[in-house]
Amino acid sequence: MSDVGDCYGNDGRYSQCMSATFGWAVGGEPYDYPADVGFAIGTPDDPQYVRIEIHYSNFENKQGIKDSSGIRISYTPELRPHDCGTLMVGVFTFPIHFIPPGSEEFRSYGLCDTRMMEDGDQIVVECTSNTMDREGVTFGGPSTLNEMCAGFLFYYPIVPIAACWSFMDIQYITEALGLERGETIMDAVMNIDSVEWDDESRAAAQKAVMDTNHLIIVENREGKRLNKTTPLPPISLPPPYHCEDDSLE
């Protein structure tokens, strides 16, 4: 397709774009697959079309700005021994993800329990945010003013999973902050926005984030979901690991 439109609109064709193929953000560097790994194109299981999603910010409404960003893809008929996949992990991008204002180091967690995919591992994504310069709550979302906590894992051999992420029980967190339980999730989000934040309430929110259950969402390329509710595993810093330099051998 060559249409231009909102990535998160009502067009049903875009709702099936679940599997990330490439990605870049400010500060990113070039990435090359290993010599024996490639991204498959043309088989019945491969994407039939590709959407490029670009996030623009121009808060001052400056005119005449031109953008030359894009992605160059090299195609070869020489098949590689292994097909690669990209697994999106972290926190489900939605306002249930929140960061209180005035936080020096507020930690958010996204959980992927891959035992749901028959191999018995757990992946925890931890994001540390600083909102010392903000007066209001920062919510999860696609805007530059929002925040995301997501990682994209390139791996092989590929499995038919596009995303494995989670969101926390926001109702539990509002109750931990002494707020009334909202009738809906969005009521709870609005309650979070009404908190008078200080060191005590920020600490209570951080503890609740660590203690609450997470709803894990595992999605395939067509957007079909498998859900499971589970708490975070115990969080601790990994021991230091010494990387051996093969070039010295």
Side-chain angles (χ1 to χ4, degrees), residues 91-92 94-99 108 138-141 147-149 168:
V91 180
F92 190 78
F94 194 69
I96 291 177
H97 177 206
F98 74 94
I99 306 164
S108 305
T138 300
F139 288 104
E147 186 56 271
M148 293 183 181
C149 177
M168 53 199 173

Side-chain angles (χ1 to χ4, degrees), residues 158-202:
I158 191 172
V159 296
I161 298 298
C164 183
W165 44 8
S166 72
F167 60 82
M168 53 199 173
D169 184 350
I170 192 71
Q171 300 281 22
Y172 174 92
I173 295 175
T174 58
E175 292 180 341
L177 291 171
L179 304 172
E180 293 185 4
R181 186 179 182 89
E183 294 184 4
T184 67
I185 289 178
M186 291 312 298
D187 287 338
V189 171
M190 295 301 294
N191 287 340
I192 291 290
D193 200 27
S194 68
V195 173
E196 295 184 7
W197 293 101
D198 54 24
D199 289 344
E200 183 178 352
S201 57
R202 281 187 287 268

Side-chain angles (χ1 to χ4, degrees), residues 18-236:
M18 292 304 307
S19 182
T21 306
F22 308 101
W24 182 86
V26 174
E29 298 179 353
Y31 173 82
D32 295 320
Y33 292 135
D36 57 347
V37 178
F39 184 87
I41 296 176
T43 76
D45 295 328
D46 296 331
Q48 302 303 305
Y49 54 86
V50 175
R51 178 187 70 185
I52 180 171
E53 177 179 332
I54 302 176
H55 296 235
Y56 289 109
S57 296
N58 185 8
F59 298 114
E60 298 179 359
N61 293 320
K62 293 182 179 180
Q63 302 296 315
I65 297 177
K66 296 183 179 181
D67 176 65
S68 61
S69 60
I71 296 174
R72 180 176 289 118
I73 301 172
S74 298
Y75 172 80
T76 176
E78 299 178 7
L79 294 180
R80 303 295 191 249
H82 304 289
D83 291 339
C84 79
T86 307
L87 181 64
M88 184 162 50
V89 293
V91 180
F92 190 78
T93 305
F94 194 69
I96 291 177
H97 177 206
F98 74 94
I99 306 164
S103 299
E104 187 172 2
E105 291 185 344
F106 192 85
R107 297 184 300 278
S108 305
Y109 294 94
L111 177 59
C112 171
D113 189 343
T114 55
R115 286 176 294 187
M116 301 168 71
M117 298 185 286
E118 300 181 355
D119 60 8
D121 295 321
Q122 285 185 315
I123 301 171
V124 179
V125 176
E126 180 186 77
C127 297
T128 303
S129 303
N130 183 306
T131 56
M132 296 295 289
D133 61 342
R134 295 205 171 186
E135 297 181 356
V137 177
T138 300
F139 288 104
S143 166
T144 302
L145 298 178
N146 299 135
E147 186 56 271
M148 293 183 181
C149 177
F152 297 87
L153 307 182
F154 293 86
Y155 70 95
Y156 68 91
I158 191 172
V159 296
I161 298 298
C164 183
W165 44 8
S166 72
F167 60 82
M168 53 199 173
D169 184 350
I170 192 71
Q171 300 281 22
Y172 174 92
I173 295 175
T174 58
E175 292 180 341
L177 291 171
L179 304 172
E180 293 185 4
R181 186 179 182 89
E183 294 184 4
T184 67
I185 289 178
M186 291 312 298
D187 287 338
V189 171
M190 295 301 294
N191 287 340
I192 291 290
D193 200 27
S194 68
V195 173
E196 295 184 7
W197 293 101
D198 54 24
D199 289 344
E200 183 178 352
S201 57
R202 281 187 287 268
Q206 183 68 87
K207 183 178 185 303
V209 166
M210 304 288 291
D211 294 342
T212 187
N213 285 332
H214 283 242
L215 178 65
I216 301 174
I217 303 171
V218 180
E219 297 178 289
N220 65 10
R221 288 180 172 179
E222 287 75 40
K224 295 179 180 178
R225 294 182 174 181
L226 178 65
N227 298 334
K228 177 183 179 182
T229 301
T230 184
L232 280 175
I235 303 296
S236 60

